[in-house]
Amino acid sequence: MKKQNLRSMAAQAVEQVIEQGQSLSNVLPPLQQKVSDKDKALLQELCFGVLRTLSQLEWLINKLMSRPMTGKQRTVHYLIMVGFYQLLHTRIPPHAALAETVEGAVAIKRPQLKGLINGVLRQFQRQQEELLAEFAQSETRFLHPDWLLKRLKKAWPQQWQNIAEANNQRPPMWLRVNRNHHSRDAWLALLEEAGMSGFTHDAYPDAVRLASPAPVHALPGFDEGWITVQDASAQGCMTWLEPKNGEQILDLCAAPGGKTTHILEVAPQASVMAVDVDEQRLSRVYDNLKRLGMKAQVKQGDGRKPAEWCGETQFDRILLDAPCSATGVIRRHPDIKWLRRDRDIKELAQLQSDILDAIWPHLKPGGTLVYATCSILPEENSQQIAAFLKRTPDAALRDTGTPESPGQQNLPGAEEGDGFFYAKLIKK
């Protein structure tokens, strides 16, 4: 395998996210194919880290360079960011970080700029203390775009700083124990035997948080389907859905299939239909079902047009994990901060509302619909459900909040799950 320059690859990946609006989860995997297993993790660390701390790195460049790099030199701008990130946030020895970053200029065919890159990074090393002290006083220190901070302050006047801080952390690794194979405690004992340790969750009976993240294949029984990687808050959907054997259940907006398989773990004899609009992401649903040895009816379809994919069918239970801003999972996907725009929130709220109205007739009388998002913004959550209850006379809220303040909102926390919202609705 030809030795690649990881720093230049990271710079190009970040450039595609910021300049072209591409998602990191689309950009990174093809790049990781080109490097050794050992380097995959470092490449991921550099890309995620730069996007997590982007505002700080941008601020430093503005301080240390008299004019921005534009046009064809733009990749160098991001290469310098990769250099700053290593010096600030990793244990890579500074001389190695510098040498590899400067060499990155050759990989992107800009060898004439090696001196410039070297100069900026060395100047940063000399002024690091005073620069960081100044940054700590700046408006930019929360590492979020202004529009998002404004929304967080308005929605969560007491908690917004904690939320921003949680968003900037590395996420914990949560697992779901497959209760058809082991109880959670029995699997935890196997984990201890393998020399690792984990913690349970008070509210979600299948959830285990690893003391430190580990490769999945090192975990007892991953390949046999004993566990699934899934955030604790995402597992919370089952607490409200309560699927039963023999029922017809719809998992709408189902990709990548974590919740589909959770339904089948809780109710193995349920008949489950998993629907998603994104054909590509549906392949992940098939993969998950296959690994766990489960069967579900998987369909590609638009949630606003259920008649096209389920005809007149009515379901006992519907889980609608609605398309949303994903503002509750920023720590897992730091590119969200830079890909989302303020105007997206209104458009997403309209889409959620359209899907809710379209799918409600497909719920049997007496049936349960759980509306869930991985957002922490009221427009997509409590306000969305309050408006739905007002216009839908046969819908009642159950066990999750009050009609004035509907739903249950989880906020991201270091030892908790991601930001997540649930509302349990019953058809009268």
Side-chain angles (χ1 to χ4, degrees), residues 101-319:
T101 305
V102 171
E103 271 313 300
V106 178
I108 55 172
K109 301 187 171 51
R110 294 280 176 278
Q112 71 278 20
L113 296 174
K114 282 167 75 169
L116 171 80
I117 298 167
N118 190 41
V120 174
L121 293 178
R122 286 192 182 283
Q123 191 186 346
F124 167 68
Q125 284 181 301
R126 286 192 293 274
Q127 299 179 359
Q128 184 166 340
E129 270 183 43
E130 52 266 47
L131 282 168
L132 293 182
E134 190 184 338
F135 177 75
Q137 301 305 313
S138 78
E139 279 297 295
T140 319
R141 68 185 183 279
F142 296 107
L143 309 180
H144 280 58
D146 291 342
W147 71 266
L148 182 53
L149 268 188
K150 205 180 281 173
R151 281 186 181 265
L152 292 179
K153 286 175 183 176
K154 187 180 169 200
W156 305 102
Q158 305 301 314
Q159 299 103 316
W160 70 270
Q161 277 182 284
N162 291 346
I163 293 169
E165 212 167 283
N167 287 348
N168 296 331
Q169 302 301 318
R170 289 177 173 80
M173 185 168 176
W174 283 97
L175 306 169
R176 184 183 84 225
V177 177
N178 184 342
R179 53 176 81 176
N180 298 316
H181 288 286
H182 295 86
S183 71
R184 179 171 66 178
D185 292 347
W187 188 82
L188 267 172
L190 295 173
L191 185 68
E192 302 260 330
E193 277 171 35
M196 292 175 264
S197 60
F199 306 91
T200 58
H201 193 287
D202 294 343
Y204 309 133
D206 303 317
V208 169
R209 175 173 58 84
L210 290 181
S212 49
V216 287
H217 299 292
L219 300 168
F222 177 80
D223 296 322
E224 292 83 354
W226 297 356
I227 48 157
T228 293
V229 178
Q230 188 184 37
D231 183 75
S233 292
Q235 298 182 40
C237 291
M238 287 316 117
T239 303
W240 306 114
L241 189 69
E242 299 180 283
K244 305 277 187 284
N245 284 325
E247 292 181 330
Q248 273 199 299
I249 300 174
L250 171 64
D251 182 8
L252 185 51
C253 312
K259 298 181 191 72
T260 308
T261 52
H262 200 186
I263 293 170
L264 286 161
E265 285 174 12
V266 177
Q269 265 77 59
S271 159
V272 178
M273 183 187 286
V275 177
D276 200 277
V277 73
D278 186 336
E279 186 107 48
Q280 268 184 307
R281 292 186 72 222
L282 277 176
S283 66
R284 302 264 310 278
V285 180
Y286 286 113
D287 293 345
N288 277 313
L289 287 164
K290 187 178 171 191
R291 184 178 68 84
L292 294 166
M294 293 172 172
K295 284 193 169 56
Q297 204 180 352
V298 181
K299 293 192 170 190
Q300 194 251 334
D302 185 330
R304 294 167 296 185
K305 301 170 187 163
E308 291 180 0
W309 43 263
C310 76
E312 300 291 302
T313 309
Q314 285 194 317
F315 298 89
D316 296 286
R317 293 176 202 267
I318 296 174
L319 173 58

Side-chain angles (χ1 to χ4, degrees), residues 31-46:
L31 291 176
Q32 287 181 310
Q33 298 300 314
K34 298 178 181 172
V35 302
S36 69
D37 284 350
K38 182 170 71 67
D39 286 346
K40 278 190 176 81
L42 178 56
L43 181 58
Q44 178 165 322
E45 164 68 18
L46 294 175

Side-chain angles (χ1 to χ4, degrees), residues 47-62:
C47 293
F48 272 72
V50 169
L51 288 165
R52 200 175 280 130
T53 56
L54 191 80
S55 352
Q56 181 188 39
L57 309 176
E58 194 79 68
W59 185 90
L60 287 169
I61 285 188
N62 290 336

Side-chain angles (χ1 to χ4, degrees), residues 88-105:
L88 271 171
H89 300 288
T90 72
R91 294 190 189 144
I92 297 167
H95 65 90
L98 246 99
E100 286 290 332
T101 305
V102 171
E103 271 313 300

